[in-house]
């Protein structure tokens, strides 16, 4: 199976300048393609990425000497058009909005390859096509890849690539487990194990507000504003990393130790309509939790079962099977009026979900 990896690069000042040049060319190519696409469409034509790529290489690129500067990989323009074509494909399928122009310093990235040849990676150094050797902070697995994507996050550069790995089925300690996701506790298992929610954004919101206010007070275009912007971006990145770290730890534990996992098909977009809980729900990362389970189940030889969205796991008694007509969100302890069974609400739901594995 294909597994992607992303890690931080350890660059010199000169290498950071080279990366910024590559990102600038990719951004210019993407914006040129988008502007030309809109112009051609308004004139009654039906453009596509292949037509734009051919015209750009034959007529536009030959007149721009700064794109052909020494040390610049020429493959980045090709992938910029591929990204534009993918953006329009998502728009036509109704999966995203109309593509927007890219801004300098916002989601800077570019993709390079070695003209179809495999690129070896591994250890603490990687030889990038045309650019040369760059260092990483952590060791990379020894493998080969066809292309590399380099992006900038909070003024730091990261490298990402996909490589082929073999599935590693692990010995399971539990046959089946139900997983109930929540806001107070990130995940409650039917075995009684509870994983707390780190609440990374909520714990950092005061500092984020202070940094945002400091940024707003700086003069636009000044060096102090740029420094303040980087400081705010670094803290946002730290919050994101804390959330991802907790999700990876929980999903790794589940997939390595359980043969079958049952989770709910949560309507996250619908839950976000509740403005009183939207911030807390977004801080949990429910969609990312499900996405990680899906590919880690393939890697570790587990099976994922997604319960029906309308399955009343919280309202049903795990002891007698009697279903309540209503259950308030504030009721954290489930009390059955039929058999008198009393249990934690989340644990009761997790036990009901675990029984779907046998069904």
């Amino acid at each position: 199976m294909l597994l992607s990896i992303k890690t931080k690069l350890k660059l010199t000042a000169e290498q950071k300048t080279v990366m910024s040049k590559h990102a600038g060319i990719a951004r210019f190519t993407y914006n040129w393609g988008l502007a030309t696409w809109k112009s051609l469409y308004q004139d009654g034509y039906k453009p596509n990425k292949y037509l734009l790529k051919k015209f750009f290489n034959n007529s536009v690129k030959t007149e721009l000497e700064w794109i052909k500067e020494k040390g610049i990989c020429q493959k980045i323009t090709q992938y910029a058009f591929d990204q534009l074509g993918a953006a329009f494909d998502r728009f036509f399928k109704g999966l995203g909005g109309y593509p927007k122009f890219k801004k300098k310093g916002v989601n800077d990235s570019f993709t390079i390859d070695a003209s179809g040849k495999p690129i070896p990676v591994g250890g603490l150094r990687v030889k990038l096509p045309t650019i040369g050797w760059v260092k990483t902070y952590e060791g990379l697995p020894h493998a080969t890849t066809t292309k590399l994507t380099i992006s900038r996050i909070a003024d730091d550069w990261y490298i990402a690539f996909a490589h082929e790995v073999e599935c590693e089925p692990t010995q399971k300690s539990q046959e089946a487990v139900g997983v109930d996701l929540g806001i107070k506790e990130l995940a409650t298992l039917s075995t009684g194990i509870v994983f707390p929610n780190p609440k990374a954004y909520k714990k950092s919101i005061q500092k984020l507000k202070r940094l945002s206010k400091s940024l707003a007070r700086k003069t636009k275009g000044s060096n102090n504003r740029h420094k303040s912007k980087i400081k705010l971006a670094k803290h946002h990145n730290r919050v994101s990393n804390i959330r991802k770290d907790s999700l990876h730890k929980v999903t790794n534990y589940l997939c390595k130790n359980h043969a079958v996992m049952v989770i709910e098909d949560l309507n996250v977009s619908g839950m976000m309509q509740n403005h009183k809980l939207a911030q807390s729900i977004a801080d949990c990362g429910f969609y990312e939790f499900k996405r990680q389970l899906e590919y880690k189940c393939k890697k570790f030889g587990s099976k994922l079962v997604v319960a029906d969205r309308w399955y009343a796991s919280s309202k049903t008694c795990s002891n007698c099977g009697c279903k309540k007509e209503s259950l308030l969100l504030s009721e954290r302890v489930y009390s059955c009026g039929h058999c008198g069974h009393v249990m934690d609400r989340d644990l009761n739901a997790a036990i009901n979900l675990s029984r779907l594995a046998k069904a």
Side-chain angles (χ1 to χ4, degrees):
M1 62 176 290
L2 276 176
L3 191 68
S4 63
I5 186 171
K6 185 175 183 179
T7 187
K8 186 178 177 181
L9 291 173
K10 190 176 183 179
L11 302 178
T12 62
E14 293 78 8
Q15 289 175 331
K16 288 184 178 181
T17 302
V18 173
M19 298 300 181
S20 298
K21 290 181 179 180
H22 280 78
I25 294 174
R27 180 176 62 253
F28 169 82
T29 306
Y30 183 94
N31 290 343
W32 179 92
L34 178 56
T36 308
W37 189 304
K38 294 174 67 175
S39 178
L40 290 175
Y41 185 80
Q42 291 172 358
D43 293 339
Y45 298 98
K46 292 185 179 180
N48 57 67
K49 66 176 183 179
Y50 303 104
L51 177 65
L52 296 177
K53 190 185 302 183
K54 184 177 180 180
F55 180 75
F56 182 83
N57 291 333
N58 295 335
S59 302
V60 179
K61 195 173 182 179
T62 56
E63 300 178 0
L64 302 175
E65 294 297 332
W66 52 275
I67 289 184
K68 296 179 288 183
E69 182 183 342
K70 185 179 179 181
I72 300 295
C73 182
Q74 299 302 308
K75 290 292 183 178
I76 52 180
T77 57
Q78 170 188 333
Y79 287 104
F81 284 114
D82 291 340
Q83 292 172 4
L84 179 62
F88 271 106
D89 287 341
R90 291 193 297 270
F91 169 69
F92 292 137
K93 293 178 182 178
L95 301 177
Y98 192 84
K100 298 179 180 179
F101 290 100
K102 292 188 176 182
K103 296 181 179 180
K104 183 179 180 180
V106 180
N107 298 325
D108 285 341
S109 66
F110 61 93
T111 304
I112 56 177
D113 65 12
S115 301
K117 299 178 182 179
I119 304 172
V121 295
L124 294 171
R125 297 176 71 207
V126 181
K127 188 175 183 180
L128 303 179
T130 308
I131 299 175
W133 289 99
V134 294
K135 295 181 180 180
T136 60
Y137 281 95
E138 60 180 341
L140 299 175
H142 291 275
T144 58
T145 184
T146 56
K147 60 182 180 179
L148 300 161
T149 298
I150 299 174
S151 57
R152 175 161 52 187
I153 302 175
D155 209 34
D156 292 322
W157 292 93
Y158 293 78
I159 185 172
F161 60 89
H163 65 289
E164 192 73 29
V165 296
E166 295 183 0
C167 297
E168 306 169 2
T170 56
Q171 187 174 1
K172 315 301 181 186
S173 59
Q174 295 285 339
E175 184 64 27
V177 65
V179 184
D180 182 74
L181 301 178
I183 297 176
K184 184 179 179 181
E185 308 294 346
L186 179 61
T188 303
L189 310 187
S190 57
T191 55
I193 299 176
V194 177
F195 292 95
N197 185 2
K199 299 179 181 178
Y201 183 80
K202 186 176 182 180
K203 292 179 180 179
S204 304
I205 192 169
Q206 293 302 324
K207 186 173 181 179
L208 289 171
K209 286 181 178 180
R210 187 174 71 252
L211 292 174
S212 298
K213 187 179 291 186
S214 176
L215 174 63
R217 289 171 175 171
K218 300 293 188 295
T219 305
K220 290 187 177 181
S222 64
N223 287 333
N224 285 336
R225 183 179 176 86
H226 177 71
K227 293 177 183 178
S228 183
K229 182 179 179 181
I230 296 301
K231 189 179 293 186
L232 176 61
K234 283 183 178 294
H235 197 66
H236 271 294
N237 190 40
R238 182 177 181 274
V239 171
S240 176
N241 288 337
I242 293 174
R243 185 184 303 116
K244 290 177 182 177
D245 179 68
S246 63
L247 292 176
H248 277 294
K249 288 178 179 177
V250 176
T251 52
N252 271 344
Y253 172 81
L254 287 171
C255 295
K256 285 183 177 180
N257 297 287
H258 303 88
V260 182
M261 287 153 288
V262 186
I263 62 172
E264 294 176 291
D265 182 18
L266 296 176
N267 181 17
V268 180
S269 59
M271 295 166 64
M272 293 285 287
Q273 299 302 316
N274 185 343
H275 299 295
K276 295 182 179 179
L277 297 175
Q279 187 182 95
S280 299
I281 293 171
D283 197 20
C284 294
F286 291 147
Y287 179 83
E288 178 67 12
F289 186 91
K290 180 182 177 183
R291 188 193 69 84
Q292 290 185 16
L293 280 182
E294 288 174 346
Y295 81 82
K296 288 181 181 179
C297 281
K298 297 178 183 178
K299 181 180 179 181
F300 297 114
S302 304
K303 182 181 179 182
L304 179 64
V305 177
V306 181
D308 184 78
R309 182 171 294 180
W310 306 109
Y311 177 65
S313 59
S314 298
K315 295 181 180 180
T316 305
C317 178
S318 59
N319 185 46
C320 67
C322 183
K323 179 182 175 182
K324 281 189 174 184
E325 293 185 0
S326 63
L327 183 66
L328 298 177
L329 189 62
S330 58
E331 297 180 41
R332 304 315 303 168
V333 177
Y334 184 89
S335 178
C336 181
H338 184 262
C339 67
H341 182 66
V342 179
M343 179 181 280
D344 178 76
R345 172 199 179 113
D346 296 335
L347 180 59
N348 178 72
I351 294 174
N352 288 328
L353 289 171
S354 66
R355 290 171 180 167
L356 293 180
K358 300 177 182 179

